[in-house]
Amino acid sequence: TLVSGGALGVAANNGTNVTIALPTLISNDVVVSFGGHFNRAGSSTGPTATGWTTILSNVTASPFFVAAYKVMGGTPDTSFVAYGTGNVTDAAAYGLYCLRGVATTAVVGSAANFARATSTNPDSPAATSPVSNAWMLSLAMSVVNDASTTLPTNYTITVAANVNDTNPATVGGGVLEIAVPGAENPGAFGSWGSGAWLALSVFINP
């Protein structure tokens, strides 16, 4: 289940790091983070803290994007901090899903399939789960400032954040529980402006 208050998104401009206050978590809750920023050479992307396991890291072309997860221990985190570029012309945006009652060992249940392009409407590719009742996460980021984005059809629990800058940033995410093992193709998000984007599909095991 989603921890109350656990669909979270924050964006920051002027190259600053992004900080997100977490809901009250308990041991074995799983937090999935995603997002990034413009492809600023030499910049870092993703969580600033240790203890995170990378699902996907794209730091070769715009947008720089990292998705990762962390299984909370006996003293769960109370905040999440992720890197901006340090350059005042760049925005950064990140989102979180805080999950309870999901797998804590084999957390990721599929390949981390992603697509990248420059256009409107990020389009997450298909991914395949071998188990029933897995959570499909469709996660996207674009170098654009857009507050009116919509989720792929049938997806719920919106995570969204955006902010303007010379190189702006918008993130969006949605969730769909897949009852029967097999492939799921989320399809495109809607109402995004045109920019360099990355869209990721990944299953989280129940």
Side-chain angles (χ1 to χ4, degrees):
T1 58
L2 190 76
V3 179
S4 177
L8 305 165
V10 172
N13 57 8
N14 297 325
T16 58
N17 289 352
V18 171
T19 300
I20 303 177
L22 296 175
T24 301
L25 302 174
I26 62 175
S27 178
N28 290 328
D29 284 349
V30 174
V31 179
V32 178
S33 69
F34 65 100
H37 46 68
F38 174 76
N39 58 322
R40 179 69 56 190
S43 63
S44 298
T45 311
T48 62
T50 60
W52 291 82
T53 299
T54 300
I55 298 171
L56 173 71
S57 177
N58 173 77
V59 291
T60 58
S62 192
F64 283 5
F65 179 99
V66 170
Y69 72 86
K70 183 175 183 179
V71 180
M72 293 294 135
T75 305
D77 296 349
T78 58
S79 65
F80 167 84
V81 182
Y83 288 107
T85 68
N87 188 296
V88 296
T89 65
D90 301 333
Y94 291 87
L96 301 174
Y97 284 101
C98 302
L99 304 173
R100 182 167 295 161
V102 298
T104 58
T105 51
V107 174
V108 177
S110 70
N113 294 335
F114 73 97
R116 190 177 64 235
T118 298
S119 69
T120 62
N121 298 339
D123 190 354
S124 300
T128 300
S129 172
V131 301
S132 301
N133 301 316
W135 289 68
M136 164 63 91
L137 303 184
S138 179
L139 312 173
M141 189 244 162
S142 182
V143 184
V144 68
N145 179 35
D146 199 326
S148 61
T149 62
T150 61
L151 294 177
T153 302
N154 297 322
Y155 280 68
T156 60
I157 312 176
T158 302
V159 167
N162 63 284
V163 71
N164 199 28
D165 210 324
T166 305
N167 299 302
T170 296
V171 291
V175 173
L176 182 64
E177 186 176 8
I178 305 298
V180 179
E184 163 64 10
N185 189 340
F189 289 77
S191 300
W192 289 57
S194 184
W197 57 260
L198 185 148
L200 166 67
S201 299
V202 65
F203 275 103
I204 301 298
N205 282 325

